[in-house]
Amino acid sequence: MSSSSPSFARLTSTNYTTWSGDMEAWLKSQGLWRIVSGSQKRPELKPPSASNANPPSDSTTTSATAAAETELHEAKTLELQDAWDAKSDKAAGWIWLMLDQDQKTLVDGCKDDPCAMWTTLESTYRQKKAGSRFNAYDDLFSIRKSDDESLQSLINRVDESMKLCQSLRPKDFDLKALDRELTSMVLIRALPDEYSHFVSSLLLMDKLDKDTVQQAFLTEEIQRRRRAADAVSVAAMAAGERSQAGRVGRKLETTPGSQEGSGIYCHCPSCGVHRQCKCYFGSPRSFFPHPTPR
């Protein structure tokens, strides 16, 4: 069994699909995959099964034979457990080493259990939710052939993207569910950028049910109309207040002696023109405040 290091890239936040395939193949080549996948469990210590042969008549001989068989069975089980533990530690170590530094925090709490590590990574990057499937289908339909790409390479990319879409489907996902979900996805994909917050809220749903999405669309339309009407109303009120303030200001400017005695809008007793008891008469660069008449 080879023990050379893997030659593929470590897991990052963007390459789980390719990393998981490469890592699975490498673990299989090392004889470790059955432990990681959970198909090979740790041997348990069980009492030996009773012999079908006729037991000896001597009870002392019977007890000695049973004790010897039990001891032999325990020793063999412990040996198998040690071998299993060694493989488990090796698998966990390789998975840990093939993670980028920022990905290790995802499995820090279960880094001694390779099966739990693999399950945690899979549940993180392959969430079988509507939002994950929407992004996968969006990537699938966005595939375009590069100028220097061969047709075979294009086929491979499409197949890989389709496998990702299939892996994100729940077990009870059938053609009817696919049709309903595709209808919802087309509706969401047709929305412009100004609906980005609305789209984000829809993709948080576990299922993109057609009826639910259509009802959400109608509700969003109603709310947008209400917000637009409120904005127009507020703007009209603000414009009215500014217009009213302008009329009041012009009236005060042209009304001498308004609020006389308040010291705010009384006209100057010296010149009879200026407001706030400030007279600029006699000098263009200075003013001479006068006391407010009482």
Side-chain angles (χ1 to χ4, degrees):
M1 182 173 59
S2 174
S3 60
S4 59
S5 301
S7 58
F8 52 89
R10 295 179 180 181
L11 175 65
T12 65
S13 59
T14 59
N15 68 340
Y16 176 79
T17 301
T18 55
W19 177 89
S20 60
D22 292 338
M23 194 69 203
E24 178 180 341
W26 193 85
L27 290 170
K28 286 179 178 178
S29 70
Q30 302 298 308
L32 305 173
W33 173 247
R34 285 186 293 173
I35 292 178
V36 175
S37 64
S39 61
Q40 183 178 346
K41 304 295 183 181
R42 189 174 189 268
E44 296 181 1
L45 183 61
K46 297 180 180 179
S49 58
S51 176
N52 294 329
N54 294 328
S57 58
D58 189 352
S59 60
T60 303
T61 305
T62 302
S63 300
T65 303
E69 290 180 354
T70 301
E71 184 177 354
L72 180 62
H73 177 74
E74 289 180 355
K76 187 176 181 179
T77 302
L78 290 175
E79 183 179 352
L80 293 175
Q81 287 179 343
D82 288 340
W84 191 95
D85 291 341
K87 283 188 173 183
S88 178
D89 291 342
K90 190 174 183 179
W94 278 121
I95 293 175
W96 179 267
L97 290 174
M98 292 308 296
L99 301 179
D100 218 9
Q101 192 61 37
D102 60 344
Q103 301 299 305
K104 293 180 179 179
T105 56
L106 298 174
V107 295
D108 188 61
C110 57
K111 59 183 178 181
D112 294 330
D113 186 347
C115 183
M117 294 173 71
W118 191 267
T119 303
T120 300
L121 293 173
E122 185 178 26
S123 62
T124 300
Y125 289 105
R126 284 188 176 173
Q127 297 182 6
K128 297 183 179 181
K129 295 183 178 180
S132 300
R133 291 192 294 277
F134 175 85
N135 292 329
Y137 278 113
D138 190 45
D139 293 339
L140 175 66
F141 294 127
S142 299
I143 293 178
R144 296 293 183 272
K145 180 184 178 300
S146 303
D147 294 337
D148 57 346
E149 184 180 23
S150 66
L151 294 180
Q152 183 60 53
S153 177
L154 176 63
I155 293 173
N156 295 339
R157 284 203 297 134
V158 172
D159 288 342
E160 188 68 25
S161 184
M162 192 64 214
K163 288 179 182 178
L164 175 60
C165 296
Q166 293 171 346
S167 67
L168 296 175
R169 297 172 184 170
K171 293 182 179 180
D172 57 347
F173 200 79
D174 54 14
L175 287 177
K176 290 184 179 180
L178 177 61
D179 291 341
R180 292 193 297 268
E181 196 164 85
L182 285 178
T183 303
S184 302
M185 288 181 178
V186 172
L187 288 172
I188 296 173
R189 203 167 183 263
L191 293 174
D193 293 340
E194 61 185 272
Y195 287 84
S196 58
H197 295 293
F198 176 57
V199 170
S200 298
S201 64
L202 289 176
L203 295 183
L204 293 175
M205 300 167 58
D206 291 334
K207 294 183 179 180
L208 287 178
D209 182 71
K210 177 182 175 182
D211 295 335
T212 304
V213 171
Q214 289 180 348
Q215 184 60 47
F217 268 57
L218 296 178
T219 303
E220 177 68 12
E221 182 71 17
I222 293 173
Q223 293 300 319
R224 283 178 172 266
R225 289 178 179 176
R226 288 174 60 89
R227 289 194 293 268
D230 292 343
V232 171
S233 177
V234 171
M237 291 177 61
E241 291 176 356
R242 288 194 298 269
S243 177
Q244 180 68 17
R247 288 195 296 269
V248 172
R250 287 192 297 272
K251 182 177 180 181
L252 292 175
E253 287 283 354
T254 58
T255 305
S258 59
Q259 298 186 16
E260 187 171 354
S262 65
I264 299 177
Y265 292 111
C266 63
H267 57 276
C268 178
S270 298
C271 64
V273 176
H274 296 98
R275 296 186 298 120
Q276 297 183 353
C277 299
K278 294 180 180 179
C279 180
Y280 295 84
F281 185 78
S283 175
R285 298 181 178 271
S286 63
F287 67 89
F288 303 90
H290 300 283
T292 302
R294 298 184 179 276

